[in-house]
C-alpha cells in the first residue's frame, strides 16, 4: 500500500513575518558565532524583506479588491454593450434585409456577453456599417440615438477593459513581490536555523532554539 503524501502547511504572511523576526533576533544574539557561516549581509537583508512583506501584505489585499471591482465594472459594461448589439441585430433581422446585407452588419457572427473582444468587434462593425450606409439603418428602424447609445457603450467597455487590465497587472506585480519576500524570509530562517544547529552541536539547549 502506498504511503500517504505528507501535507505541508503553508505559513500565513503574519507567520512568515514572525518567523523572520525570530530568526533575526536569535542570529543577532549569537552573531559573533553564526555570522561567519552565513552569506554576507544576510541578517540585514532578512530585516529588509520582513519590512517589505509587512508593506506588501496590505497592498496585495487592496490590489486584489481593486481588481475585483474593476472586473465587475468591465462585466457590467460588456453586458450593456452586448444588449444593444443584440437589439440592433434583431431589428435588422425583423426588417427582412437580404442575407448578404445582414452579414455586412455582423448578423450571424458569434458574440458572447462575457467576451470583451467579440462585443467590441460586433459593436464597431455596426457603427462602421451605419456610417457608410445610414439608409439601411433608417430602413430597419435603427435611429441615430440607438447608434449613439451603442457608441457610448463600446467606448465605456473599451475604457473599462483597459482599466481592468491595468489593475490585473498591478495586482500580479504586488502579489509576486509579496510571495518573493515571504520565500526569502523562509529560506533565510531555514539557513540560520541549520547554521545554528551546526554551530551549537555541543550546546543542545541553544541549538534547540
Amino acid at each position: 500500500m502506498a504511503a500517504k503524501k505528507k501535507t505541508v502547511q503553508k505559513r500565513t504572511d503574519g507567520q512568515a513575518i514572525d518567523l523572520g523576526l525570530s530568526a533575526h533576533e536569535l542570529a543577532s544574539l549569537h552573531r559573533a558565532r553564526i555570522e561567519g557561516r552565513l552569506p554576507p549581509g544576510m541578517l540585514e537583508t532578512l530585516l529588509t524583506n520582513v519590512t517589505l512583506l509587512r508593506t506588501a501584505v496590505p497592498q496585495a489585499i487592496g490590489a486584489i479588491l481593486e481588481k475585483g471591482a474593476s472586473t465587475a465594472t468591465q462585466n457590467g459594461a460588456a453586458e450593456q454593450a452586448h444588449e444593444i448589439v443584440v437589439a440592433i441585430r434583431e431589428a435588422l433581422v425583423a426588417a427582412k434585409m437580404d442575407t448578404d446585407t445582414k452579414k455586412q452588419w455582423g448578423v450571424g457572427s458569434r458574440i458572447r456577453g462575457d467576451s470583451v473582444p467579440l462585443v467590441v468587434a460586433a459593436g464597431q462593425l455596426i457603427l462602421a456599417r451605419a456610417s457608410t450606409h445610414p439608409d439601411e439603418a433608417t430602413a430597419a428602424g435603427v435611429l441615430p440615438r440607438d447608434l449613439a447609445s451603442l457608441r457610448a457603450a463600446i467606448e465605456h467597455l473599451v475604457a473599462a477593459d483597459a482599466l481592468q487590465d491595468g489593475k490585473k497587472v498591478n495586482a500580479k506585480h504586488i502579489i509576486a513581490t509579496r510571495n518573493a519576500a515571504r520565500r526569502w524570509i523562509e529560506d533565510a530562517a531555514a539557513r540560520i536555523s541549520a547554521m545554528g544547529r551546526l554551530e551549537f552541536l555541543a550546546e543542545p539547549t541553544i541549538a534547540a532554539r
Side-chain angles (χ1 to χ4, degrees), residues 69-209:
S70 66
T71 299
T73 299
Q74 178 197 49
N75 291 342
E79 182 179 352
Q80 180 186 21
H82 176 261
E83 287 180 354
I84 298 173
V85 168
V86 170
I88 290 176
R89 284 186 175 185
E90 289 175 349
L92 297 170
V93 171
K96 301 298 182 181
M97 283 184 172
D98 64 82
T99 302
D100 288 340
T101 301
K102 285 189 294 186
K103 284 183 179 179
Q104 295 301 316
W105 285 86
V107 175
S109 63
R110 190 164 67 107
I111 183 173
R112 296 198 325 267
D114 61 350
S115 172
V116 172
L118 290 178
V119 174
V120 171
Q124 289 177 338
L125 180 59
I126 289 173
L127 293 172
R129 183 69 180 182
S131 68
T132 57
H133 295 75
D135 54 318
E136 292 177 356
T138 302
V142 178
L143 303 180
R145 66 171 179 267
D146 302 319
L147 298 170
S149 295
L150 175 59
R151 182 175 294 102
I154 293 299
E155 289 174 353
H156 178 51
L157 175 55
V158 170
D161 186 53
L163 177 64
Q164 197 271 346
D165 281 346
K167 296 295 184 182
K168 183 166 59 176
V169 170
N170 183 55
K172 185 176 180 180
H173 171 72
I174 292 175
I175 292 170
T177 299
R178 179 199 65 184
N179 292 346
R182 185 169 60 200
R183 284 194 301 270
W184 203 99
I185 291 169
E186 290 174 339
D187 290 345
R191 185 159 186 175
I192 290 170
S193 178
M195 295 303 98
R197 286 194 297 272
L198 181 59
E199 176 65 31
F200 297 107
L201 278 176
E203 302 169 69
T205 302
I206 298 177
R209 298 180 65 188

